[in-house]
Amino acid sequence: MPSDDANPNPLLSERIRIALADEIMAGALAPGQALDEQQIGDRFGASRTPVREALRQLAAAGLVEIRPRRGAIVGGFTAERIVEMFEMTAEIEALCVRLAAWRMTPVERSRLARLHDESEAMVANNDIDGYDRLNWEFHRTIYEGTHNSFLAEQAIALRDRMAAFRRTQLREEGRPVRSRGEHEKVLEAIMRGDGEEAARCMRAHMFNASIALERFTAKREPAPNN
Amino acid sequence: MPSDDANPNPLLSERIRIALADEIMAGALAPGQALDEQQIGDRFGASRTPVREALRQLAAAGLVEIRPRRGAIVGGFTAERIVEMFEMTAEIEALCVRLAAWRMTPVERSRLARLHDESEAMVANNDIDGYDRLNWEFHRTIYEGTHNSFLAEQAIALRDRMAAFRRTQLREEGRPVRSRGEHEKVLEAIMRGDGEEAARCMRAHMFNASIALERFTAKREPAPNN
DNA sequence: TGTTCCTCTAGTGTATGCAAGATCGTTTCT
DNA sequence: AGAAACGATCTTGCATACACTAGAGGAACA
């Protein structure tokens, strides 16, 4: 069947999964709304089979809820839940950095410092995407610094789920500068091997990011209807 | 919902998922081994469709790895990885209890104390399964005490993944008594609202459970051959 | 009029069939 | 003989067909 688009990923279920995830994140699908397999399949020109696979994946990621024999509904992505996700993310990040401050090798510490240095130019040029990329690398290096690959995987998965909010948050005026300043404090604590202090700084960092997101979205979208 | 055997769930895919999960946990399937859909389907008297669903679920839970168009293989469940999982579980439990100590309502605190009281009889009668059930309730009450439902869900999911190891751990001679003693210390710290101390006690509790598991499995299975 | 039971339908769970891609052995060329 | 190309075969990805259950809605009854 000749496709009408040039998607490099040949897996239909994957494409559906991504598309549905985007729509849910963007709020195009209201929480609690029923997701009919046939209907979604028609919308993507696919049969129910790949749709089902996509829905299972999304259920595992927490974006939809599946009740056996009763179909799937959009998961509750309310403002309250987003706050909860931010809190958990902050605590996981704090946990990672606490362990990392104790366990990172000199090579890893050096890499972290280098990443932080490189980010200075991005902030100066107001290159949001570039800083976002380095930001990601910074946190990822910390995850790996825990020397607990299971924990690192979980942290990465969690961060992926929050990716949409994270980038938004950086668009607030002056946020990248302050974000980098917070990174600096985290970095210093890591260099001193002070895990508890690093954790405190990281918690503050995530909290500030959360606040920035709230302010930014409140400005752009004054009344989120229910 | 924890997978108790008394569940007459008529969903074939679910039964297959549970069975495969058990086999992987028990080490009956070696890490890296290929999982042929047809073959598994034959083994359960099912077609490939429910097998596929089960494999997707397991992939989401991290038990198997799926390479597109190249099939599924058993995920790396090495001894090192189990240690990592225990560490993360311990930290998550510590995080939950820290928040719970600050946020639990009097009603919730009372319920927790009651659960702890009830467990005394189980320990006295050496009722492992009964204590395991109350143990689960105890921890679950703490999760909910965080008043962060997202965090609670993640903690429950993690605990489910470790369920097999957790019950094993309690079979060590005298472990239930000591486990209950550790709970008592956690409970006291919660009652005082001392989150940091509660977290420390919980970390120690989980660490001891991990050690108990290691000793128990080392005794029963001196040489895990492959 | 309110309740209970039944039927009917919409929609999920499973089986089967078909096509595309991956693996591996064979063949052919240098 | 070694390496690259080719093709047979096996497995996955997707489509379609059938089975079975949960709810909705109406009919029968108190």
Side-chain angles (χ1 to χ4, degrees):
Chain A
M1 190 83 54
S3 60
D4 45 355
D5 59 355
N7 196 320
N9 191 340
L11 252 58
L12 196 47
S13 61
E14 200 69 1
R15 272 174 36 210
I16 295 174
R17 199 203 60 168
I18 307 268
L20 285 180
D22 282 348
E23 290 181 16
I24 292 175
M25 289 283 197
L29 299 170
Q33 177 173 343
L35 295 168
D36 186 272
E37 294 177 357
Q38 183 71 42
Q39 183 177 323
I40 294 173
D42 291 347
R43 209 151 67 72
F44 287 94
S47 83
R48 282 176 49 219
T49 310
V51 174
R52 282 177 67 82
E53 308 238 331
L55 287 176
R56 304 294 164 156
Q57 301 276 118
L58 292 171
L63 288 175
V64 309
E65 189 183 337
I66 294 185
R67 290 103 30 104
R69 291 192 191 280
R70 297 181 55 199
I73 61 177
V74 178
F77 243 80
T78 68
E80 183 188 0
R81 190 162 182 86
I82 293 176
V83 171
E84 289 182 355
M85 289 177 69
F86 256 100
E87 177 173 71
M88 169 143 188
T89 306
E91 293 293 346
I92 292 290
E93 296 275 344
L95 161 59
C96 285
V97 82
R98 181 161 57 83
L99 295 180
W102 295 332
R103 297 181 185 171
M104 279 178 100
T105 66
V107 172
E108 288 167 335
R109 285 167 207 270
S110 156
R111 171 180 156 77
L112 197 66
R114 185 158 42 77
L115 285 170
H116 183 64
D117 276 353
E118 284 177 23
S119 72
E120 193 169 17
M122 307 288 182
V123 172
N125 300 344
N126 205 29
D127 177 359
I128 302 281
D129 286 333
Y131 181 69
D132 185 51
R133 220 190 57 246
L134 275 182
N135 192 12
W136 165 251
E137 280 296 317
F138 185 84
H139 284 269
R140 212 165 105 83
T141 303
I142 290 174
Y143 302 153
E144 286 163 6
T146 64
H147 291 260
N148 181 326
S149 58
F150 181 73
L151 173 55
E153 284 166 26
Q154 297 291 110
I156 290 171
L158 189 57
R159 198 177 180 84
D160 273 346
R161 289 171 67 171
M162 306 283 295
F165 307 119
R166 218 174 277 279
R167 260 186 65 254
T168 302
Q169 163 265 131
L170 283 174
R171 310 202 89 86
E172 195 200 36
E173 185 63 30
R175 176 69 197 140
V177 179
R178 273 174 293 136
S179 169
R180 189 169 178 283
E182 290 157 17
H183 274 200
E184 185 136 343
K185 286 205 178 138
V186 171
L187 182 62
E188 282 171 9
I190 291 176
M191 288 310 182
R192 289 198 311 272
D194 187 345
E196 299 295 349
E197 175 64 14
R200 272 190 294 274
C201 293
M202 182 61 89
R203 252 187 228 113
H205 173 47
M206 300 304 296
F207 182 69
N208 288 332
S210 161
I211 297 293
L213 173 68
E214 216 166 324
R215 271 197 305 257
F216 188 79
T217 53
K219 200 180 292 179
R220 303 210 96 184
E221 198 175 328
N225 56 345
N226 285 348
Chain B
M1 194 187 294
S3 57
D4 275 334
D5 302 316
N7 189 355
N9 192 331
L11 252 58
L12 198 46
S13 60
E14 200 69 2
R15 278 183 16 222
I16 295 175
R17 198 202 60 163
I18 307 269
L20 285 180
D22 282 348
E23 290 182 16
I24 292 175
M25 290 283 199
L29 298 170
Q33 177 173 343
L35 295 168
D36 186 89
E37 294 177 357
Q38 184 70 45
Q39 184 177 322
I40 294 173
D42 292 346
R43 207 151 68 71
F44 286 94
S47 83
R48 283 175 49 222
T49 310
V51 174
R52 283 176 68 82
E53 307 241 332
L55 287 176
R56 304 293 166 158
Q57 301 275 121
L58 291 171
L63 288 175
V64 309
E65 189 183 338
I66 292 187
R67 290 100 34 101
R69 295 198 183 276
R70 297 182 57 201
I73 61 175
V74 178
F77 242 80
T78 68
E80 184 189 359
R81 191 163 182 87
I82 292 175
V83 171
E84 289 182 354
M85 290 178 69
F86 255 101
E87 177 173 71
M88 170 145 188
T89 306
E91 294 293 345
I92 293 290
E93 296 275 345
L95 161 59
C96 286
V97 81
R98 181 161 57 83
L99 295 181
W102 295 332
R103 299 181 184 170
M104 280 178 100
T105 67
V107 173
E108 286 167 338
R109 284 167 208 270
S110 156
R111 171 179 156 77
L112 196 66
R114 185 158 41 79
L115 284 170
H116 183 64
D117 277 351
E118 284 177 24
S119 74
E120 192 169 16
M122 307 288 182
V123 171
N125 300 343
N126 205 29
D127 176 0
I128 302 281
D129 287 334
Y131 182 70
D132 184 51
R133 221 189 57 245
L134 274 183
N135 192 11
W136 202 84
E137 280 295 319
F138 186 84
H139 284 269
R140 209 164 106 84
T141 303
I142 291 174
Y143 302 153
E144 286 162 5
T146 64
H147 291 261
N148 180 326
S149 57
F150 181 72
L151 173 55
E153 283 166 25
Q154 297 292 112
I156 289 172
L158 190 57
R159 199 179 179 82
D160 273 347
R161 288 173 68 171
M162 306 282 295
F165 305 120
R166 219 174 277 280
R167 260 185 64 253
T168 302
Q169 164 261 134
L170 284 173
R171 310 203 90 86
E172 194 200 36
E173 184 65 30
R175 177 70 197 138
V177 179
R178 274 175 293 136
S179 169
R180 189 169 179 284
E182 290 156 18
H183 274 200
E184 186 136 342
K185 288 207 175 136
V186 172
L187 183 62
E188 282 171 8
I190 291 177
M191 290 309 183
R192 288 198 311 271
D194 188 345
E196 298 296 347
E197 174 63 16
R200 270 190 295 274
C201 293
M202 182 61 90
R203 251 186 230 114
H205 174 48
M206 300 304 295
F207 182 70
N208 288 332
S210 161
I211 297 293
L213 173 69
E214 216 166 325
R215 270 197 305 258
F216 188 78
T217 53
K219 199 181 291 177
R220 298 212 98 182
E221 200 174 327
N225 57 340
N226 275 344

